[in-house]
Amino acid sequence: MPFDYSAFPTLKTDRLVLRELSCADTEDLFSFRSDPVEQMYNTSPVKDLPETRALIEELRTAYEKERAIHWAVTLKDEDRAIGLFGFNYWERFHRRAEIGYDLALPFHGRGLATEAAAAMVRFGFEEMELNRIETETIADNHASVRLLRRLGFRLEGIRRGYSLEDDGTFHGSAIYALLREEYQP
């Protein structure tokens, strides 16, 4: 029986805790979701705390409706959210889901994104019984591409000229996926 949303799952790694997102995380999320540099290849930066609270409520509602699951990422010995990782959608019948991830810039380069994403991928295959985990990233987002490759994801294609970014040019969207048969914990 795959994960059923009855209780929010907390994921733990050597250095991190992926826990339920709450309104108490508003200021933490605002600190990295409002930064145009950090959001360069992501969605538009949030403008203020009310917009950040609305984002949190939107993600919590998606969980309550059993459509998605998003975790606040914290260091094991702190409760401050330093990232937002999740499954942006889950197609139960087809046993596939899309992952997304966002880690505050001061925490880049430490392997934390890989650690958090690996926990999420493991949860997806073992608890959600997924057959496929997929994601899109801007092809020029080299840090994201490295992360996906480290986790074993394969490039399936690039949608050319897909996204108008802050540099004023259109960038390709790279589609990556990892299948259950390819997964190596």
Side-chain angles (χ1 to χ4, degrees):
M1 176 88 170
F3 170 70
D4 67 3
Y5 284 87
S6 62
F8 194 93
T10 298
L11 310 180
K12 295 181 180 181
T13 70
D14 289 341
R15 300 180 291 170
L16 302 171
V17 175
L18 283 72
R19 62 159 173 77
E20 187 170 9
L21 188 61
S22 77
C23 287
D25 298 314
T26 301
E27 288 184 20
D28 296 335
L29 259 59
F30 179 73
S31 71
F32 61 89
R33 291 298 299 242
S34 64
D35 183 340
V37 173
E38 289 189 49
Q39 296 303 306
M40 183 184 326
Y41 296 118
N42 203 343
T43 58
S44 299
V46 292
K47 295 175 191 71
D48 51 32
L49 291 174
E51 186 178 349
T52 307
R53 275 191 292 280
L55 170 64
I56 291 170
E57 284 308 311
E58 179 184 323
L59 298 176
R60 290 174 56 85
T61 299
Y63 178 80
E64 290 167 5
K65 293 184 176 183
E66 301 184 2
R67 293 191 316 243
I69 181 169
H70 293 85
W71 289 272
V73 178
T74 69
L75 295 173
K76 205 166 214 173
D77 55 349
E78 297 180 26
D79 196 43
R80 180 172 63 106
I82 62 167
L84 178 62
F85 283 55
F87 288 103
N88 298 326
Y89 74 80
W90 177 15
E91 293 287 340
R92 286 183 193 227
F93 178 78
H94 296 292
R95 295 174 55 192
R96 70 175 180 252
E98 178 187 60
I99 62 168
Y101 38 85
D102 192 3
L103 187 68
L105 200 54
F107 299 93
H108 286 203
R110 301 183 194 181
L112 296 172
T114 301
E115 194 171 320
M120 220 172 50
V121 166
R122 182 172 40 258
F123 181 83
F125 285 127
E126 294 176 5
E127 301 298 324
M128 297 169 71
E129 298 181 2
L130 298 175
N131 180 62
R132 175 187 171 88
I133 299 175
E134 58 192 22
T135 193
E136 296 177 42
T137 189
I138 300 303
D140 297 330
N141 186 346
H142 303 295
S144 181
V145 168
R146 279 191 307 273
L147 168 67
L148 294 168
R149 288 183 177 158
R150 273 193 298 270
L151 294 172
F153 281 71
R154 293 184 184 178
L155 176 65
E156 294 189 330
I158 296 178
R159 291 188 278 190
R160 299 172 297 131
Y162 186 76
S163 178
L164 179 61
E165 295 299 328
D166 291 341
D167 64 3
T169 63
F170 287 92
H171 292 255
S173 174
I175 302 166
Y176 282 85
L178 179 63
L179 300 179
R180 172 184 288 278
E181 64 195 37
E182 301 163 342
Y183 173 61
Q184 297 178 11

